[in-house]
Amino acid sequence: MTSPNAPCEQETATANRTRGPVSILIVEDNPDHATLARAALEESNSWSLDIAATITSAFKMISAKDYDVLLVDYRLPDGNGLDLLDWVKKDSVVIMMTGQGDEKVAVQAFKSGVFDYVVKDALFRTTLVDAVEQAITRLDALKGKHTLAASR
């Protein structure tokens, strides 16, 4: 049975079709990790990708452009990735990336509103693409609900 709040297929398709290409900001200070993330995402889809190496440069980029998804490294030269969350727009999804799987950091990240937490390990490329695809699905669902609510 369909929920009365669920968008019909045509409305969802229209909302998805009218949105431009998915815009992703990778905030990563290690050039090799940034290149790996970009390559994994470019193989998977034709998303718009930008890279920032610091919180300061990411803040400037976020101020100038709306990003759908932010992939943020935890450890950055000018702070930790959670410092950036206050500047992220509410309709963006943040995925935290880290070289060390730290349970305390993961809990802190989720409590701060991070959508997913990806460890840079042997499965990083696959895990990252899966996390971004899930984030985009969530964005589409949220934007579809906003479109329906605005039309009522």
Side-chain angles (χ1 to χ4, degrees):
M1 180 173 194
T2 304
S3 163
N5 295 329
C8 72
E9 284 182 39
Q10 185 175 5
E11 288 169 321
T12 302
T14 301
N16 292 342
R17 204 174 31 245
T18 57
R19 181 168 56 78
V22 173
S23 181
I24 300 173
L25 176 60
I26 301 167
V27 185
E28 171 62 70
D29 63 315
N30 181 316
D32 293 335
H33 292 171
T35 299
L36 181 65
R38 171 175 246 152
L41 295 171
E42 285 178 338
E43 281 177 16
S44 176
N45 220 312
S46 59
W47 297 317
S48 168
L49 302 169
D50 293 323
I51 297 175
T54 64
I55 291 171
T56 304
S57 60
F59 172 71
K60 290 176 184 173
M61 295 173 81
I62 290 168
S63 297
K65 181 177 177 180
D66 291 334
Y67 289 95
D68 297 303
V69 179
L70 285 88
L71 306 174
V72 183
D73 188 22
Y74 178 71
R75 288 194 163 103
L76 294 162
D78 54 349
N80 73 57
L82 296 176
D83 297 336
L84 192 59
L85 293 179
D86 291 336
W87 304 105
V88 175
K89 292 176 177 60
K90 298 298 181 200
D91 58 348
S92 299
V93 176
V94 177
I95 297 170
M96 184 68 58
M97 304 182 298
T98 185
Q100 302 90 14
D102 183 328
E103 191 174 302
K104 289 179 183 177
V105 172
V107 169
Q108 183 182 9
F110 285 121
K111 284 183 176 181
S112 298
V114 168
F115 175 74
D116 206 344
Y117 182 87
V118 177
V119 178
K120 294 181 251 179
D121 60 9
L123 300 174
F124 176 64
R125 291 174 65 103
T126 304
T127 306
L128 182 65
V129 171
D130 289 345
V132 170
E133 288 175 347
Q134 290 172 11
I136 292 166
T137 299
R138 178 177 183 218
L139 277 173
D140 286 343
L142 290 174
K143 288 182 181 186
K145 287 180 185 178
H146 292 301
T147 301
L148 282 176
S151 67
R152 289 185 183 169

